[in-house]
């Protein structure tokens, strides 16, 4: 059973009575453990697709199955619970609270989880260690570099131990060296068993994925299996 599956998925936005089709009959499936890049020009529908897959928006038509079930008809508060428990999100703008420390930012999702408060610090520190940021644990986010902020954001996405991580242009605000480091972290998380769905317009970023889905005008233009680029940190081709 696929982790995610869409059948003839569509999304239409209304603005002052004018209808705009953002997605037009998108059908795809993603298996547990895949690393998938979604590419396309501005307006192609890639962010809309990510938002629907991540329960941040709802489809207008068609069907979306997550772990074999339909959730989109659930009320917003139930979808928020699913997002917090099963999904992790990493965004281009980091979305950190600037005057909270790295540890405080990373443990924020635990406020809305069933994890006992006594375990928050340990889980936060474990997530921070996975992104190699332990030396900045007690620094306020405002004092971090761009690459460090994105690593903190990835740690926050990891703290509830989701099996699926959505990354929306995670290297968009970073220089090439910092961006490469972020992609190597995501690649390692995928090797450890997490499913990664990456939205990007950067070819060098998409090269870390094993599959590239290209959208054009709200439709799937191509869906291609890829050989991953050589990883500088690991020294082999996957």
């Amino acid at each position: 059973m696929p982790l995610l599956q869409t059948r003839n998925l569509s999304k239409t936005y209304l603005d002052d009575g004018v209808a705009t089709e953002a997605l037009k009959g998108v059908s795809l499936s993603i298996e547990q453990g895949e690393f998938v890049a979604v590419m396309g020009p501005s307006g192609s529908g890639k962010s809309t697709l990510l938002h629907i897959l991540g329960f941040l928006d709802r489809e207008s038509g068609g069907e979306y199955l997550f772990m074999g079930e339909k959730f989109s008809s659930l009320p917003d508060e139930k979808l928020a619970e699913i997002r917090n428990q099963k999904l992790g999100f990493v965004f281009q703008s980091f979305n950190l609270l600037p005057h909270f420390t790295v540890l405080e930012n990373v443990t924020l999702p635990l406020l809305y989880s069933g994890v006992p408060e006594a375990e928050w610090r340990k889980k936060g520190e474990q997530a921070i260690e996975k992104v190699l940021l332990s030396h900045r644990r007690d620094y306020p986010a405002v004092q971090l570099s761009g690459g460090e902020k994105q690593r903190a954001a990835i740690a926050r996405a990891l703290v509830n131990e989701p099996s699926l991580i959505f990354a929306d242009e995670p290297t968009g605000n970073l220089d090439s060296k910092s961006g490469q480091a972020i992609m190597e972290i995501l690649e390692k998380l995928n090797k450890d068993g997490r499913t990664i769905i990456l939205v990007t317009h950067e070819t060098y970023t998409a090269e870390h994925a094993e599959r590239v889905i290209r959208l054009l005008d709200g439709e799937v233009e191509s869906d291609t299996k890829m050989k991953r680029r050589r990883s500088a940190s690991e020294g082999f081709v996957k």
Side-chain angles (χ1 to χ4, degrees):
M1 179 179 67
L3 177 63
L4 308 177
Q5 187 173 24
T6 71
R7 298 170 181 159
N8 204 30
L9 195 72
S10 64
K11 179 65 180 180
T12 301
Y13 293 102
L14 289 174
D15 185 13
D16 291 332
V18 177
T20 301
E21 287 186 284
L23 295 176
K24 308 170 187 176
V26 172
S27 297
L28 56 84
S29 63
I30 295 174
E31 303 290 336
Q32 177 69 45
E34 284 196 89
F35 191 150
V36 180
V38 180
M39 301 190 73
S42 296
S44 62
K46 56 187 186 295
S47 290
T48 299
L49 178 62
L50 182 145
H51 289 165
I52 292 174
L53 297 181
F55 301 117
L56 295 167
D57 200 354
R58 300 174 190 265
E59 67 271 25
S60 302
E63 190 173 60
Y64 170 37
L65 301 177
F66 175 65
M67 300 178 67
E69 296 184 49
K70 288 191 278 188
F71 291 98
S72 56
S73 61
L74 293 177
D76 290 345
E77 59 269 21
K78 289 294 185 183
L79 290 181
E81 288 180 16
I82 294 169
R83 285 198 303 270
N84 192 54
Q85 294 169 5
K86 300 182 180 297
L87 311 177
F89 294 87
V90 181
F91 298 101
Q92 179 177 347
S93 56
F94 318 130
N95 293 348
L96 300 174
L97 296 178
H99 299 294
F100 277 37
T101 66
V102 169
L103 182 61
E104 288 168 339
N105 270 287
V106 168
T107 55
L108 275 174
L110 299 176
L111 287 168
Y112 311 102
S113 72
V115 177
E117 188 173 355
E119 298 178 19
W120 291 1
R121 184 178 183 89
K122 180 181 178 182
K123 290 180 70 68
E125 289 176 343
Q126 289 173 339
I128 291 167
E129 185 177 357
K130 286 177 182 175
V131 300
L132 308 177
L133 203 59
S134 295
H135 61 296
R136 293 285 191 262
R137 182 192 64 196
D138 298 317
Y139 280 58
V142 72
Q143 294 182 10
L144 304 180
S145 68
E148 289 171 339
K149 288 177 181 176
Q150 196 59 288
R151 280 192 271 166
I154 294 173
R156 182 185 56 200
L158 289 174
V159 75
N160 271 327
E161 301 180 38
S163 59
L164 171 60
I165 294 176
F166 293 98
D168 192 357
E169 301 282 6
T171 62
N173 283 333
L174 305 178
D175 60 62
S176 59
K177 183 177 179 180
S178 297
Q180 175 69 14
I182 292 302
M183 292 310 305
E184 288 181 1
I185 289 171
L186 291 176
E187 193 171 333
K188 184 178 187 305
L189 293 173
N190 177 243
K191 279 187 61 188
D192 290 342
R194 289 179 176 84
T195 307
I196 309 289
I197 299 178
L198 165 75
V199 166
T200 183
H201 66 277
E202 299 165 332
T203 301
Y204 89 92
T205 301
E207 287 175 348
H208 288 267
E210 60 190 5
R211 177 182 170 194
V212 176
I213 298 172
R214 295 183 183 275
L215 298 182
L216 182 65
D217 297 331
E219 300 178 289
V220 176
E221 181 184 36
S222 63
D223 186 345
T224 310
K225 291 284 188 180
M226 307 291 289
K227 179 180 284 190
R228 285 183 177 170
R229 64 180 293 167
R230 187 175 181 82
S231 172
S233 63
E234 297 171 339
F236 61 86
V237 176
K238 301 184 184 167

